Amino acid sequence: MKEEKIIVPANGYLMLLVFLVLFFGSIALIPIYKTPWPVFGIVAALLIAFGFLMVQPNGSRVLLLFGKYVGTVKKNGYYWVNPFYTKKKISLRASNFDSERLKVNDKLGNPVMISTILVWRVQNTYKAAFDVDNYENFVRVQTDAAVRKLASMYPYDNFADEGHDEDITLRSSVNEVSEALEKEIDERLSIAGIEVLEARIGYLAYAQEIANAMLKRQQATAIVAARHKIVEGAVSMVEMAIEELNKKNVVDLDEERKAAMVSNLMVVLCGDKDASPVVNTGTLNH
């Protein structure tokens, strides 16, 4: 396989001077000599005009001579090349690609909507021009394929209650997923001489058909976790209250009254609403 070849053509300004002298000089000689020879000078000047080439900053021109690769001009400036060269323009600037939202299945089979943001640029003009048919379309197709593969490698989220406890998930492991995505896309685009500057997940959500169910699941998980903390704290507070009462001999509680007090405290501490106290104006026995 041939590799990229960097060349620096002839100075364009010098050839522009040659063109002007040859063109206008031949026109001036026509009425003087009254022969067809100056016409050949005009034709030669017009042929020279097809060889002028301008390369913008972060731009390039791939040169071909009757189908044969000659080289690539990357240095910006004004040049002159063989008029028979075919000049193909390829930009070396960084480009952004925001993919469409794809519906794919994650590792657990849940349908999710995902898209990626890719920053890329052409690094090897020979591969971009000749190893693929259309390198820009190649970037789009291969990026979508890489995103589909990535989504199938990781679950959307952890479901420890179902025995699915993953270290890396699409939702929480942003850096790890971005690195894996960038590596996958870079391997796919290397055949086209494309350098991946950055790749990250741009959009991530459950598909519409399961979004409501997964939202309820997340809410239920959050409620259970909150209740667990509340109960854990309430038990500690009840235990501390009983210990303090016994330590200071405030009141002598038997097992039945102790159980009643624990029940009342747990109701007050774990309830969703504020408790309405009832003041006992009698004795402990009534």
Side-chain angles (χ1 to χ4, degrees), residues 1 127-128 131-132 138 142 186-194:
M1 181 183 295
K127 292 182 178 181
D131 285 356
V132 293
F138 187 81
Q142 293 301 320
D186 187 64
E187 290 177 355
R188 291 173 176 267
L189 298 185
S190 60
I191 188 178
I194 305 296

Side-chain angles (χ1 to χ4, degrees), residues 223 226-242 258 260-277:
I223 292 173
R227 286 293 182 187
H228 183 271
K229 289 294 183 182
I230 291 173
V231 172
E232 184 179 351
V235 171
S236 298
M237 293 175 67
V238 170
E239 183 180 1
M240 181 180 63
I242 294 176
K258 190 182 295 184
M261 186 179 109
V262 170
S263 176
N264 292 334
L265 285 175
M266 292 297 293
V267 170
V268 172
L269 294 174
C270 297
D272 289 333
K273 299 180 180 179
D274 295 335
S276 300

Side-chain angles (χ1 to χ4, degrees), residues 11-209:
N11 190 302
Y13 297 102
L14 179 60
M15 293 304 298
L16 178 62
L17 178 62
V18 173
F19 164 78
L20 294 176
V21 172
L22 184 60
F23 182 76
F24 291 104
S26 299
I27 294 177
L29 291 176
I30 291 177
I32 297 176
Y33 290 97
K34 296 181 180 180
T35 62
W37 291 108
V39 177
F40 291 102
I42 297 175
V43 173
L46 294 177
L47 187 62
I48 291 174
F50 286 102
F52 290 109
L53 176 68
M54 182 179 293
V55 180
Q56 302 289 345
N58 283 328
S60 69
R61 291 294 184 92
V62 177
L63 305 179
L64 298 174
L65 180 61
F66 303 118
K68 181 181 179 181
Y69 174 68
V70 176
T72 302
V73 183
K74 286 187 174 181
K75 186 178 180 180
N76 61 296
Y78 190 60
Y79 303 103
W80 183 86
V81 296
N82 190 327
F84 296 101
Y85 282 173
T86 301
K87 313 171 192 69
K88 184 176 182 179
K89 182 185 295 185
I90 294 182
S91 175
L92 303 179
R93 298 181 178 92
S95 301
N96 283 320
F97 171 60
D98 189 0
S99 69
E100 297 181 357
R101 295 179 181 179
L102 304 175
K103 184 177 179 181
V104 298
N105 292 331
D106 68 354
K107 185 177 180 180
L108 302 180
N110 297 318
V112 297
M113 301 297 295
I114 187 171
S115 69
T116 184
I117 298 175
L118 177 67
V119 183
W120 61 277
R121 67 183 176 189
V122 174
Q123 188 178 38
N124 189 310
T125 57
Y126 179 85
K127 292 182 178 181
F130 306 115
D131 285 356
V132 293
D133 184 36
N134 185 326
Y135 68 91
E136 293 181 345
N137 183 65
F138 187 81
V139 170
R140 290 191 291 269
V141 174
Q142 293 301 320
T143 300
D144 290 345
V147 171
R148 291 181 183 275
K149 179 180 178 180
L150 179 83
S152 65
M153 294 171 57
Y154 306 107
Y156 180 90
D157 205 352
N158 270 321
F159 297 106
D161 55 337
E162 294 184 358
H164 303 291
D165 191 7
E166 300 284 345
D167 294 331
I168 300 178
T169 62
L170 296 174
R171 186 180 66 87
S172 60
S173 306
V174 178
N175 294 332
E176 292 82 356
V177 172
S178 297
E179 290 178 2
L181 177 62
E182 183 174 334
K183 182 179 179 181
E184 179 68 23
I185 297 177
D186 187 64
E187 290 177 355
R188 291 173 176 267
L189 298 185
S190 60
I191 188 178
I194 305 296
E195 177 187 9
V196 176
L197 302 178
E198 183 184 6
R200 64 182 184 274
I201 301 298
Y203 178 85
L204 180 65
Y206 280 114
Q208 186 175 2
E209 58 266 27

